[in-house]
Amino acid sequence: MPALMNYNKEKPWVIEQKGFEQQYLGKTESVMALGNGYLGTRSSEEESYIGEKRDTFVAGTFNNFDENEVTELPNVPDMWALEILINGELFSLSQGSVTNYSKQLNLKNGLLTRSFIWTFKDIQLQFKFLRFVSMARKHLMASQLTLNNLTQKTINIQIKSGINGQVSNEGSQHFTDGEKGLMNGKFIQMMPRTTHSNIQFIQTVHHLLSKSATERPETERRAFFMNYNFILNSEEIISFEKRASIYTSIDNDLKDKSLTALRQTAVAELQNIDKKDFDELLAESTNTWQKIWDKHPITIQSKNFKDQLAIRFAKYHLHAMVPAHDEHMNIGAKGLSGEGYKGHAFWDTEIFMLPYFNFTHPDIAKNLVTYRYLGLDGAHKKAISNGYRGAQYPWEAAKPADGEVTPIWGAADIVTGQATKIWSGFIEQHITSDVAFGIKQYIDVTGDDDFEEEKGDEILLDTAQFWASRLEYNSKQNYYEIDNVIGPDEYKEHVNNNSYTNYTAHWNMTYAIQLIEHLKKNKSPIYKKLNKKFNLVKLKEELEEKSTKIFLPQPTKAGIIPQDDSYLNKKLLDLTKYKEKDGVDSLFHDYNLEQVNQMQITKQADVLLLMLLFEGLFDKELKLKNFDYYEPKTTHDSSLSLSTHAILSADLGKLDKSYDFFNKAINIDMGEYMKSSDAGIHAASLGGIWQMIVMGFGGVRMIDSKLRIEPHLPKDWQHLDYGFDYHGESIHAEVEPDKLTLIKADDGQSITFLHNGKEYTLQNTVTITL
Ligand code: BGC
């Protein structure tokens, strides 16, 4: 495999691909995806290639293609493509020769640059494409092509550019062919509408060419283009700019506007920026990005410069994909960078990404937890349809009220050739306690009492009620159990008493009991409201009876917490060969899921994740035993796995191992493996990168509602600086191998935290010898 990805110490904010390989288009389309949380777009080349995935998404605009498919984020008509004819022949890198090819993304401001010299027959041209999605103006995208004629003669150039609705989500067409035309004589406008959710899109394009050209409009089904024709003299340089915007009828800042008004708003925006050149528009966006970078910057002094780049990569993408503008939306498992998982949100949000937002952007975190509050109706619907009470959160979520949207059928089984049933939407139930856990963490980190009283407590009680109704009584054993589930390890379907599920359900229920007691004791004004909904006395009784009798799998003689009732009796398989391979799921080239179900093979952290999230429940010796037992049996086929292992092994003093996991984890998308990211970037693993640095090596954690800071640097790191928000205070941490310094502005409230069991108070500065 060619080493195409290039990282260079001299360019500490840049990820780069050197050399063009048509078979690996998906990699840079995803890892260099652009976005501002309102919209996101894959960085496909301007000219088209077979195998490309030319996707643009607007957050929250879900649509059902038909009743046999689940709702998904529709791929919006394309606005980036340029069809370029050079002396009448179609420009493509698959013809002629290409030198100095570089495609790079500047993580600091989201500027995508692609440049090369193209020689074809007797023509030589220098191309430079620039592109960004504005962080300052959420509807706006802009691109610029600079062409330099290096040939000793004139060349005829034709550029066809506009809006192309001849796109789909792998064949599913989500839009009607809306009205299209030229507004004010120069703005191309197209108005597709989603077929079922009836969301009106308004897409507008304005072209600016630095030299005069003949212009000819061209319409096709679902498309509107302009053709520009001009002569490029020898050594002449021209620029061709494209400014594009997307508005939709669900934009929360423009909700009550009529379609006509929306169309005018879109045109007016492009008209208003007529006087600004590309660099000025970029500068606005760069400034907005800078505010993000200025909030709690992380500096790592490491022998390996890629460590620093990795956190920039993670933060860049987290902000490119998080819908910070609207609490009705969440983060898809692939963000806005690909069709994978259809734009749906999973537990990836609460367990892997939310900690980053809780600790660094509590305002955005608030939107993400509010989304779950808005999802209560959908969660009730799901519980009722399964014969339960309370709030049962969907495994996959789209619009808050949709409830469960996990597809039912997946890829073909390699043994039977039949489509595999996806059971997660039915029985992967730990999502409900994951949501509750996320809510509690948000409240603990931010101290947001208003959210807690208005929304958070209700979710925590509603989810506890679900678990109470979900438990099954085992009369032989005289305990309550949870049968027929999938735990985090999705390779084990239909298991009983998955430890992660049982323990987290138990936590949810016991926390609800404490909450009811607390509300009653403090005569909280919300007691009445919640009592009306839940009948708190009765709920508390039920929770007390059931939570004391729930089966919590205990360690075996060898000190192993069984992953579920049957796991430890299953066959063993040496996984070395699969662990060495690059691609995930290579195991499934040899075995089908049914066979893997019968072996002690774990897809991702399961018992070990439980031990990380609820560290106080298990002692170090037990954690070590379980780590040594489960890790060799774990394929890490899910991108969610490595960060958990990195943090836990750092906690357990296995720092070399931890750093090894860290390196693998940062390479999930950034690595050399060119097929890793085809379906989109791995959103949870980006949250995992921040967690490994700040929660793992930086040692920041919320344990039993208390802040704990216990850093441990890997040996290649000399220094780590990071910051975080806690209860409205901004804290800066400097970590050296033997010293931790915490700094906080003097004027705020003092903060207490734990370090190695001792309580410290931070008013201004605290220094601790490690
Ligand atoms: C993982 C899940 C995860 C989902 C979306 C699956 O492969 O096993 O835990 O939620 O991907 O990222």
Side-chain angles (χ1 to χ4, degrees):
M1 192 180 304
L4 291 178
M5 297 312 291
N6 186 58
Y7 304 104
N8 184 336
K9 231 207 275 260
E10 310 308 318
K11 297 184 193 166
W13 288 88
V14 170
I15 56 169
E16 184 175 21
Q17 179 184 355
K18 285 208 160 190
F20 174 77
E21 290 273 346
Q22 197 180 329
Q23 54 181 320
Y24 300 130
L25 291 169
K27 176 81 170 188
T28 55
E29 284 175 354
S30 293
V31 302
M32 297 186 188
L34 308 178
N36 58 14
Y38 170 81
L39 66 89
T41 179
R42 283 166 79 83
S43 288
S44 328
E45 326 305 8
E46 280 72 7
E47 67 285 4
S48 289
Y49 295 97
I50 290 174
E52 70 186 5
K53 272 249 150 45
R54 196 171 269 289
D55 284 326
T56 298
F57 305 103
V58 176
T61 57
F62 288 98
N63 185 57
N64 270 83
F65 165 60
D66 71 16
E67 64 278 8
N68 298 317
E69 291 193 6
V70 294
T71 190
E72 69 181 325
L73 264 195
N75 176 19
V76 174
D78 177 59
M79 304 170 92
W80 295 114
L82 301 180
E83 195 180 287
I84 305 171
L85 295 179
I86 315 271
N87 285 345
E89 297 206 53
L90 188 66
F91 158 68
S92 166
L93 294 177
S94 52
Q95 301 200 73
S97 65
V98 187
T99 46
N100 296 350
Y101 182 93
S102 162
K103 180 174 179 180
Q104 23 178 295
L105 174 68
N106 184 346
L107 300 167
K108 198 157 192 203
N109 64 353
L111 178 67
L112 182 75
T113 308
R114 193 163 62 106
S115 57
F116 50 86
I117 293 171
W118 184 63
T119 313
F120 178 62
K121 297 185 179 165
D122 57 347
I123 294 168
Q124 195 167 55
L125 279 166
Q126 186 166 31
F127 283 80
K128 185 169 183 187
F129 295 97
L130 299 177
R131 190 194 289 188
F132 68 94
V133 167
S134 176
M135 204 31 129
R137 299 170 185 265
K138 68 177 194 255
H139 303 278
L140 185 74
M141 318 183 254
S143 73
Q144 184 189 57
L145 160 65
T146 313
L147 258 186
N148 183 355
N149 183 1
L150 305 177
T151 324
Q152 291 308 310
K153 55 179 194 171
T154 60
I155 300 175
N156 183 287
I157 309 274
Q158 192 179 325
I159 300 178
K160 178 175 164 183
S161 169
I163 308 172
N164 183 2
Q166 294 170 6
V167 297
S168 69
N169 290 55
E170 297 183 325
S172 293
Q173 174 54 260
H174 286 283
F175 292 96
T176 56
D177 184 7
E179 198 185 321
K180 49 188 179 278
L182 271 184
M183 300 277 283
N184 298 2
K186 59 178 183 179
F187 301 102
I188 299 175
Q189 200 167 61
M190 209 161 105
M191 270 145 312
R193 183 180 262 275
T194 54
T195 51
H196 284 85
S197 52
N198 272 324
I199 300 172
Q200 180 67 61
F201 281 64
I202 296 101
Q203 295 181 260
T204 314
V205 159
H206 184 205
H207 293 120
L208 297 165
L209 181 56
S210 66
K211 98 176 259 178
S212 62
T214 59
E215 297 180 16
R216 182 175 54 83
E218 182 181 333
T219 62
E220 288 177 20
R221 204 167 164 199
R222 299 174 183 277
F224 194 109
F225 303 105
M226 288 298 288
N227 288 286
Y228 297 88
N229 207 330
F230 59 93
I231 299 291
L232 191 62
N233 297 317
S234 174
E235 290 180 20
E236 185 182 1
I237 302 174
I238 62 100
S239 86
F240 178 82
E241 260 190 55
K242 186 169 185 176
R243 291 154 182 204
S245 72
I246 307 181
Y247 286 78
T248 82
S249 54
I250 63 162
D251 291 346
N252 58 357
D253 49 344
L254 300 165
K255 263 220 177 98
D256 301 321
K257 288 207 169 184
S258 67
L259 179 56
T260 320
L262 279 176
R263 293 184 67 174
Q264 280 161 358
T265 305
V267 169
E269 176 175 45
L270 293 186
Q271 205 134 35
N272 285 341
I273 57 170
D274 226 8
K275 301 235 155 34
K276 293 188 190 261
D277 64 21
F278 186 87
D279 290 343
E280 283 172 282
L281 292 173
L282 177 62
E284 285 178 354
S285 179
T286 304
N287 288 341
T288 312
W289 270 108
Q290 190 56 45
K291 292 192 186 116
I292 293 170
W293 295 114
D294 288 344
K295 184 98 198 271
H296 299 312
I298 293 178
T299 316
I300 303 169
Q301 275 174 34
S302 165
K303 288 194 179 142
N304 311 303
F305 79 95
K306 209 173 166 187
D307 298 352
Q308 176 73 60
L309 187 64
I311 186 63
R312 292 181 173 154
F313 179 78
K315 281 173 105 175
Y316 164 81
H317 277 292
L318 285 166
H319 287 276
M321 64 174 61
V322 65
H325 61 291
D326 195 332
E327 61 201 22
H328 295 84
M329 298 162 192
N330 206 276
I331 314 175
K334 304 286 183 192
L336 297 167
S337 71
E339 292 174 27
Y341 292 120
K342 301 177 186 296
H344 297 170
F346 293 67
W347 70 318
D348 303 32
T349 298
E350 277 74 16
I351 304 299
F352 297 90
M353 291 179 272
L354 185 63
Y356 167 71
F357 294 107
N358 282 344
F359 276 113
T360 52
H361 294 271
D363 48 335
I364 299 179
K366 185 171 191 160
N367 278 0
L368 295 173
V369 289
T370 303
Y371 168 87
R372 292 301 190 181
Y373 183 74
L374 298 171
L376 274 175
D377 282 351
H380 292 146
K381 211 160 68 183
K382 177 167 173 177
I384 290 167
S385 70
N386 290 326
Y388 305 127
R389 286 175 289 128
Q392 182 183 19
Y393 275 95
W395 175 245
E396 296 187 24
K399 282 194 268 188
D402 285 349
E404 187 57 72
V405 295
T406 307
I408 295 178
W409 298 104
D413 179 318
I414 54 123
V415 174
T416 65
Q418 305 295 310
T420 321
K421 184 152 182 179
I422 302 175
W423 283 100
S424 298
F426 302 99
I427 58 173
E428 192 154 359
Q429 295 168 352
H430 63 86
I431 175 72
T432 293
S433 30
D434 301 326
V435 169
F437 183 81
I439 300 291
K440 179 72 171 71
Q441 288 273 312
Y442 168 77
I443 295 168
D444 286 347
V445 175
T446 61
D448 183 347
D449 297 339
D450 291 345
F451 174 84
E452 179 177 7
E453 286 174 12
E454 284 160 23
K455 305 186 174 81
D457 288 347
E458 187 174 338
I459 297 178
L460 286 155
L461 295 176
D462 229 340
T463 47
Q465 188 174 44
F466 160 70
W467 284 118
S469 73
R470 170 63 182 90
L471 299 183
E472 288 136 277
Y473 186 60
N474 180 331
S475 54
K476 252 203 228 134
Q477 305 283 357
N478 185 27
Y479 59 48
Y480 286 96
E481 57 184 9
I482 307 178
D483 288 346
N484 190 23
V485 293
I486 299 177
D489 170 16
E490 294 178 341
Y491 290 170
K492 301 286 162 286
E493 294 182 336
H494 308 292
V495 295
N496 298 340
N497 296 314
N498 166 259
S499 286
Y500 181 93
T501 309
N502 286 26
Y503 275 88
T504 56
H506 176 251
W507 163 78
N508 195 171
M509 290 163 63
T510 48
Y511 179 73
I513 297 170
Q514 289 167 26
L515 181 60
I516 296 171
E517 281 165 0
H518 174 82
L519 294 175
K520 187 152 188 216
K521 195 165 134 220
N522 291 291
K523 300 198 171 56
S524 164
I526 62 159
Y527 186 89
K528 213 164 141 197
K529 175 187 135 197
L530 293 173
N531 192 33
K532 214 163 156 195
K533 175 167 173 181
F534 296 106
N535 188 346
L536 293 177
V537 173
K538 215 164 138 229
L539 178 61
K540 184 165 167 263
E541 272 168 22
E542 184 185 9
L543 291 171
E544 276 167 347
E545 199 261 326
K546 292 186 172 168
S547 66
T548 41
K549 280 200 194 156
I550 186 172
F551 173 54
L552 297 174
Q554 293 303 306
T556 60
K557 277 203 192 97
I560 308 306
I561 301 263
Q563 190 178 293
D564 56 59
D565 281 356
S566 52
Y567 189 94
L568 297 181
N569 299 324
K570 294 187 171 175
K571 274 189 301 204
L572 293 165
L573 181 77
D574 180 4
L575 292 177
T576 320
K577 107 172 189 214
Y578 301 104
K579 285 191 167 217
E580 279 162 4
K581 286 219 177 107
D582 260 337
V584 292
D585 86 0
S586 53
L587 181 70
F588 288 95
H589 298 170
D590 296 338
Y591 300 96
N592 70 4
L593 189 58
E594 191 40 50
Q595 292 164 319
V596 174
N597 219 340
Q598 301 313 322
M599 292 186 266
Q600 292 193 43
I601 301 174
T602 296
K603 182 182 183 186
Q604 64 201 87
D606 188 308
V607 170
L608 297 185
L609 179 59
L610 171 68
M611 294 190 157
L612 179 65
L613 299 182
F614 292 89
E615 65 170 66
L617 293 181
F618 310 96
D619 66 28
K620 185 169 175 187
E621 198 191 330
L622 195 79
K623 285 183 210 161
L624 276 166
K625 283 185 181 153
N626 282 273
F627 188 91
D628 292 343
Y629 187 81
Y630 283 110
E631 196 288 320
K633 298 174 181 62
T634 304
T635 56
H636 305 294
D637 273 1
S638 157
S639 66
L640 282 53
S641 191
L642 290 164
S643 60
T644 303
H645 283 79
I647 302 170
L648 188 60
S649 47
D651 285 359
L652 295 175
K654 295 170 181 267
L655 277 171
D656 288 347
K657 217 169 176 117
S658 169
Y659 193 52
D660 202 39
F661 285 122
F662 172 82
N663 272 311
K664 289 192 178 121
I666 65 174
N667 281 315
I668 288 171
D669 288 301
M670 275 173 63
E672 270 303 320
Y673 179 53
M674 295 301 283
K675 302 299 282 176
S676 64
S677 313
D678 286 359
I681 200 152
H682 298 82
S685 86
L686 303 167
I689 292 176
W690 180 87
Q691 288 201 33
M692 288 187 291
I693 295 169
V694 175
M695 301 177 79
F697 302 133
V700 175
R701 227 63 74 74
M702 290 307 302
I703 305 293
D704 294 334
S705 306
K706 291 203 180 83
L707 179 64
R708 195 207 65 191
I709 311 178
E710 273 165 31
H712 18 225
L713 296 191
K715 69 173 182 294
D716 281 0
W717 289 17
Q718 297 87 44
H719 200 104
L720 167 67
D721 271 18
Y722 61 83
F724 60 94
D725 282 353
Y726 179 72
H727 282 232
E729 297 296 321
S730 174
I731 297 165
H732 177 75
E734 292 173 9
V735 189
E736 287 166 38
D738 54 2
K739 196 169 90 182
L740 163 69
T741 309
L742 295 167
I743 304 159
K744 184 184 83 56
D746 207 9
D747 46 0
Q749 54 165 339
S750 63
I751 295 296
T752 53
F753 67 95
L754 292 171
H755 175 86
N756 287 347
K758 189 171 158 204
E759 193 169 289
Y760 290 79
T761 302
L762 171 65
Q763 181 59 46
N764 184 1
T765 307
V766 167
T767 303
I768 297 173
T769 305
L770 301 176

